[in-house]
């Protein structure tokens, strides 16, 4: 029996690239259905994360033209991770496997065949791993490598050079639905599921059109979420730092007593001011780290919904994706 695949695509202000993305995905699924790799009932689920441009109108148009495309509109912009989770949860009871990927065509569409092959070989989770970072700037390449090393040192289980291009079986999606945290970092949550997994290497392309939705500020916030959501080592480091500073203060106190006993006169202005500024900075840093964790506790205890669905476009018709694939080839 052919198994049903859903492609889950989070979209935020993607009107420039969405028509080309839809064309390529329709062609890919059509070819796979014609080869008997997946069910002809397979679909593409486009999740609109509160876009401010014409993204939702394009999704509605695609849905009207072809039942292959389903649409999910969130009531408000909730961020990439929440939009992705919303799509996966919508697909969970409708598919045998789901592949999540970005709408900007940086993820290699041709790698989908290898994802499905790994799934058919027994993997419940298949990670798309970048084969190289040659297309990145030196700054991004080096900071990414450093970040993965830091996560590993902090004990966070994560797949290096993997973003959110992955396949999950229905069993893996069911397991994911049991994770209820508000602060989502799916790259850290999915490895915790623990089901059989494998990896597929692929070459990441340049963005086809439009602008990146992850500027440096958002990337830093996402990186901090990844650390504070999965490791308490930063808090333990604060404790260790406090012990070190307390020990150093005892040594300084002993030195001051000795200078007093032996009658040395020390102005001490530089030492005093340097100590005040250093200790003040360390205290503020520690308060900031603790604040990150307290803020996350605050968000989790409110138990607010991670997303609200405003509209769901799902046709009961069986999409003729083999025919659509043939049309796409003629258009070329």
């Amino acid at each position: 029996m052919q198994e049903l695949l859903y492609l889950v695509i989070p979209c935020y202000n993607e009107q420039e690239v969405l028509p080309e993305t839809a064309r390529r995905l329709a062609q890919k699924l059509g070819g796979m259905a014609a080869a008997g790799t997946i069910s002809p009932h397979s679909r593409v689920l486009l999740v609109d994360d509160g876009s401010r441009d014409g993204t939702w109108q394009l999704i509605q148009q695609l849905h009207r033209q072809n039942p292959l495309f389903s649409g999910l509109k969130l009531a408000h912009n909730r961020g990439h991770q929440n939009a992705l989770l919303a799509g996966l949860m919508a697909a969970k009871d409708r598919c045998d496997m789901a592949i999540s990927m970005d709408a900007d065509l940086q993820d290699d569409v041709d790698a989908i065949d290898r994802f499905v092959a790994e799934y058919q070989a027994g993997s419940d989770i298949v990670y798309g791993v970048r084969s190289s970072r040659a297309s990145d700037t030196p700054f991004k390449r080096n900071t990414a490598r450093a970040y993965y090393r830091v996560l590993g040192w902090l004990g966070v289980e994560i797949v290096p050079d993997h973003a959110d291009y992955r396949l999950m079986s229905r069993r893996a999606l069911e397991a994911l639905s049991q994770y209820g945290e508000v602060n989502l970092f799916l790259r850290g949550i999915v490895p915790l599921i623990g089901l059989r997994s494998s990896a597929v290497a692929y070459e990441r392309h340049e963005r086809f059109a439009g602008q990146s939705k992850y500027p440096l500020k958002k990337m830093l916030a996402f990186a901090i979420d990844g650390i504070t959501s999965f490791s308490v080592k930063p808090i333990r480091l604060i404790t260790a730092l406090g012990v070190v500073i307390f020990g150093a203060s005892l040594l300084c106190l002993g030195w001051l007593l000795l200078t007093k006993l032996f009658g040395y006169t020390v102005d001490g202005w530089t030492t005093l001011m340097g100590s005040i500024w250093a200790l003040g900075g360390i205290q503020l840093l520690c308060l900031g780290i603790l604040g990150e964790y307290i803020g996350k506790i605050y968000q989790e205890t409110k138990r607010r919904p991670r997303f609200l669905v405003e509209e769901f476009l799902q046709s009961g018709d069986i999409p003729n994706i083999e025919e659509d694939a043939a049309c796409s080839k003629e258009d070329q």
Side-chain angles (χ1 to χ4, degrees):
M1 179 179 176
Q2 296 170 333
E3 295 185 283
L4 196 148
L5 168 68
Y6 261 62
L7 296 181
V8 178
I9 319 292
C11 304
Y12 179 67
N13 295 343
E14 298 288 3
Q15 66 176 10
E16 297 179 26
V17 72
L18 199 53
E20 178 63 17
T21 301
R23 187 190 68 80
R24 293 193 192 183
L25 294 180
Q27 181 178 343
K28 169 54 66 176
L29 291 189
M32 295 177 70
T37 307
I38 59 174
S39 167
H41 296 196
S42 298
R43 297 180 187 270
V44 178
L45 176 57
L46 301 166
V47 183
D48 178 32
D49 184 24
S51 298
R52 299 178 181 179
D53 61 1
T55 296
W56 180 243
Q57 288 72 28
L58 274 173
I59 294 174
Q60 290 177 312
Q61 180 182 345
L62 288 168
H63 174 71
R64 287 193 298 267
Q65 294 173 348
N66 188 347
L68 167 68
F69 295 100
S70 298
L72 186 70
K73 179 177 174 57
L74 301 189
H76 189 264
N77 176 250
R78 296 297 297 155
H80 178 273
Q81 296 291 279
N82 282 297
L84 178 54
L85 182 68
L88 292 173
M89 293 302 99
K92 174 172 63 72
D93 298 323
R94 296 176 168 87
C95 69
D96 298 299
M97 52 182 162
I99 295 178
S100 58
M101 62 186 300
D102 292 337
D104 55 16
L105 293 176
Q106 287 188 286
D107 298 326
D108 185 9
V109 173
D110 290 329
I112 293 175
D113 300 85
R114 288 181 284 151
F115 276 73
V116 174
E118 289 291 333
Y119 164 79
Q120 292 171 342
S123 294
D124 283 289
I125 302 170
V126 184
Y127 299 102
V129 178
R130 296 180 62 171
S131 57
S132 73
R133 286 188 169 269
S135 60
D136 287 348
T137 62
F139 172 78
K140 187 174 182 180
R141 187 184 312 122
N142 293 324
T143 52
R145 289 171 179 169
Y147 179 62
Y148 285 121
R149 285 197 292 268
V150 169
L151 286 177
W153 179 71
L154 292 174
V156 180
E157 186 178 353
I158 195 167
V159 179
D161 295 323
H162 163 69
D164 287 299
Y165 191 21
R166 72 177 73 86
L167 178 148
M168 299 183 72
S169 67
R170 177 181 289 189
R171 183 165 65 150
L173 291 173
E174 289 286 353
L176 178 62
S177 68
Q178 298 178 40
Y179 287 79
E181 55 249 56
V182 174
N183 299 283
L184 283 177
F185 186 69
L186 293 176
R187 302 177 198 184
I189 294 176
V190 173
L192 295 178
I193 293 175
L195 297 174
R196 180 177 173 181
S197 64
S198 58
V200 167
Y202 73 98
E203 188 71 31
R204 191 168 172 84
H205 307 302
E206 294 291 337
R207 185 180 178 87
F208 181 80
Q211 295 180 345
S212 172
K213 307 306 183 294
Y214 264 93
L216 181 60
K217 181 180 178 181
K218 282 191 176 182
M219 289 179 65
L220 289 175
F222 190 59
I224 292 171
D225 281 343
I227 293 173
T228 54
S229 296
F230 290 90
S231 177
V232 296
K233 274 193 176 181
I235 295 180
R236 292 173 181 168
L237 289 175
I238 291 175
T239 304
L241 183 62
V243 171
V244 171
I245 292 175
F246 178 70
S249 65
L250 290 179
L251 293 175
C252 290
L253 179 61
W255 177 73
L256 291 172
L257 289 174
L258 286 175
T259 56
K260 181 70 174 177
L261 289 174
F262 287 100
Y264 294 111
T265 57
V266 179
D267 293 333
W269 175 256
T270 303
T271 305
L272 177 63
M273 295 306 295
S275 299
I276 291 174
W277 281 102
L279 290 174
I282 290 172
Q283 288 173 347
L284 288 174
L285 174 64
C286 294
L287 286 173
I289 294 174
L290 290 172
E292 284 288 332
Y293 284 93
I294 293 171
K296 281 182 167 49
I297 293 171
Y298 172 65
Q299 291 176 338
E300 296 289 346
T301 54
K302 288 187 293 185
R303 306 303 300 169
R304 290 179 178 173
R306 290 173 291 193
F307 53 83
L308 293 173
V309 176
E310 179 178 328
E311 189 174 352
F312 186 29
L313 304 176
Q314 176 80 354
S315 173
D317 298 333
I318 298 175
N320 191 349
I321 58 180
E322 297 180 26
E323 181 179 325
D324 295 325
C327 293
S328 297
K329 291 179 180 178
E330 290 176 3
D331 292 340
Q332 290 179 326

